[in-house]
Amino acid sequence: MPGSPQLAALVFLGAAVCGEWTWQAAGAAQPRGRILGGREAEAHARPYMASVQVNGQHRCGGVLISAQWVLSAAHCLEDAADGKVQVLLGAHSLSRAEPSQRRYDVRRAVPHPDSRPDTIDHDLLLLQLSEKAALGPAVRPQPLQREDRDVAPGTLCDVAGWGVVSHAGRRPDRLQHVLLPVLDRATCNLRTYHDGAITQRMMCAESNRRDSCRGDSGGPLVCGGVVEGVVTSGARVCGNRKKPGIYTRVASYAAWIDGVLAE
């Protein structure tokens, strides 16, 4: 199979673990996500932020959860079988050299075994870096929520990313962020919203002109200093209050995450 060794291993691992994991052809379902209605983040104030890149281009967000592992969304790499996957840490600007920046090769990519191209269920991906990251003020893991319970509606949570910032598709060079209130699942599941699609392993945040949505997928939703959710890659209209942002709840996957990291 053409492409980098780690991507060949990734495809093999997906097939081995998932049984029916398949990569979609280029141009198929693309990761969705942007920070809409937010503002530039304070430089390096979110040292856990990662840029998941394919062939040197930003593809998705991610969050550093240990010195050698980044958590992101499974859909982010579904059409990247021939690309070189890397993770950029310590970055505020994607184009300008910064002393804290370093790009790491990916040794192993582990999508959740139940993730599928045609659904946003179980949309999680673990990326093992080729070596332990050089930790410091601008590169530091963020703790995950371990208690499997819903976040109280109205709680303000922070989401950040390098996704496009306008409906015209303009991409920022520097990290953006926005504060979003959590929306209760019952409301999110109303027929006029997501019509019952939000499972117990997902959560929603309001999306009234402020939203995560293309390029932010895989990034963390941080509430009270811990990662509560990961931006899903599902297609939806961003910034539309009737289509709230959807996030995978990490606490409900703690056992799977711990198991992969312990291998």
Side-chain angles (χ1 to χ4, degrees), residues 206-223:
E206 292 183 20
S207 55
N208 189 13
R209 296 191 299 275
R210 292 169 173 257
D211 202 0
S212 64
C213 181
R214 193 171 58 258
D216 291 324
S217 300
L221 182 72
V222 178
C223 313

Side-chain angles (χ1 to χ4, degrees), residues 97-181:
E98 299 167 323
S100 57
Q101 273 193 25
R102 184 170 171 191
R103 188 173 275 105
Y104 293 85
D105 290 339
V106 171
R107 173 182 296 175
R108 190 161 64 112
V110 187
H112 189 276
D114 295 323
S115 62
R116 298 287 182 269
D118 59 350
T119 175
I120 61 170
D121 291 339
H122 320 294
D123 192 15
L124 290 180
L125 171 73
L126 284 165
L127 298 171
Q128 184 182 26
L129 308 181
S130 56
E131 59 185 289
K132 289 186 177 181
L135 303 182
V139 179
R140 189 169 63 244
Q142 189 74 359
L144 302 178
Q145 177 60 260
R146 314 294 300 188
E147 185 180 349
D148 194 0
R149 51 98 182 101
D150 286 334
V151 180
T155 300
L156 280 180
C157 299
D158 183 84
V159 62
W162 289 273
V164 299
V165 294
S166 73
H167 290 294
R170 184 171 65 86
R171 287 182 174 271
D173 178 65
R174 296 183 293 274
L175 185 68
Q176 308 289 304
H177 87 105
V178 68
L179 290 174
L180 299 170

Side-chain angles (χ1 to χ4, degrees), residues 15-252:
V17 175
C18 303
E20 51 187 282
W21 180 273
T22 58
W23 296 107
Q24 293 195 352
Q30 295 290 323
R32 306 289 195 264
R34 67 173 159 266
I35 294 295
L36 188 69
R39 62 180 63 188
E40 182 177 341
E42 180 184 349
H44 307 296
R46 293 163 180 78
Y48 50 82
M49 284 300 300
S51 169
V52 178
Q53 304 192 343
V54 178
N55 296 331
Q57 299 297 312
H58 174 78
R59 172 63 68 93
C60 277
V63 54
L64 188 69
I65 60 171
S66 77
Q68 205 168 352
W69 287 90
V70 166
L71 179 65
S72 188
H75 285 69
C76 288
L77 299 184
E78 68 182 10
D79 62 344
D82 292 328
K84 181 178 179 63
V85 179
Q86 295 175 303
V87 171
L88 180 67
L89 297 177
H92 181 61
S93 165
L94 293 179
S95 67
R96 185 167 53 87
E98 299 167 323
S100 57
Q101 273 193 25
R102 184 170 171 191
R103 188 173 275 105
Y104 293 85
D105 290 339
V106 171
R107 173 182 296 175
R108 190 161 64 112
V110 187
H112 189 276
D114 295 323
S115 62
R116 298 287 182 269
D118 59 350
T119 175
I120 61 170
D121 291 339
H122 320 294
D123 192 15
L124 290 180
L125 171 73
L126 284 165
L127 298 171
Q128 184 182 26
L129 308 181
S130 56
E131 59 185 289
K132 289 186 177 181
L135 303 182
V139 179
R140 189 169 63 244
Q142 189 74 359
L144 302 178
Q145 177 60 260
R146 314 294 300 188
E147 185 180 349
D148 194 0
R149 51 98 182 101
D150 286 334
V151 180
T155 300
L156 280 180
C157 299
D158 183 84
V159 62
W162 289 273
V164 299
V165 294
S166 73
H167 290 294
R170 184 171 65 86
R171 287 182 174 271
D173 178 65
R174 296 183 293 274
L175 185 68
Q176 308 289 304
H177 87 105
V178 68
L179 290 174
L180 299 170
V182 171
L183 185 67
D184 67 283
R185 187 177 293 105
T187 301
C188 201
N189 268 327
L190 292 175
R191 190 178 64 172
T192 52
Y193 286 69
H194 284 301
D195 196 18
I198 308 305
T199 71
Q200 293 293 321
R201 306 183 88 173
M202 302 174 190
M203 61 186 292
C204 295
E206 292 183 20
S207 55
N208 189 13
R209 296 191 299 275
R210 292 169 173 257
D211 202 0
S212 64
C213 181
R214 193 171 58 258
D216 291 324
S217 300
L221 182 72
V222 178
C223 313
V226 298
V227 180
E228 289 280 357
V230 168
V231 182
T232 69
S233 300
R236 64 185 180 84
V237 179
C238 306
N240 180 343
R241 70 180 185 86
K242 290 291 187 73
K243 296 299 177 185
I246 305 171
Y247 303 81
T248 303
R249 292 179 53 246
V250 298
S252 63

Side-chain angles (χ1 to χ4, degrees), residues 1-13:
M1 176 179 178
S4 62
Q6 62 266 41
L7 257 295
L10 187 156
V11 174
F12 172 77
L13 180 66

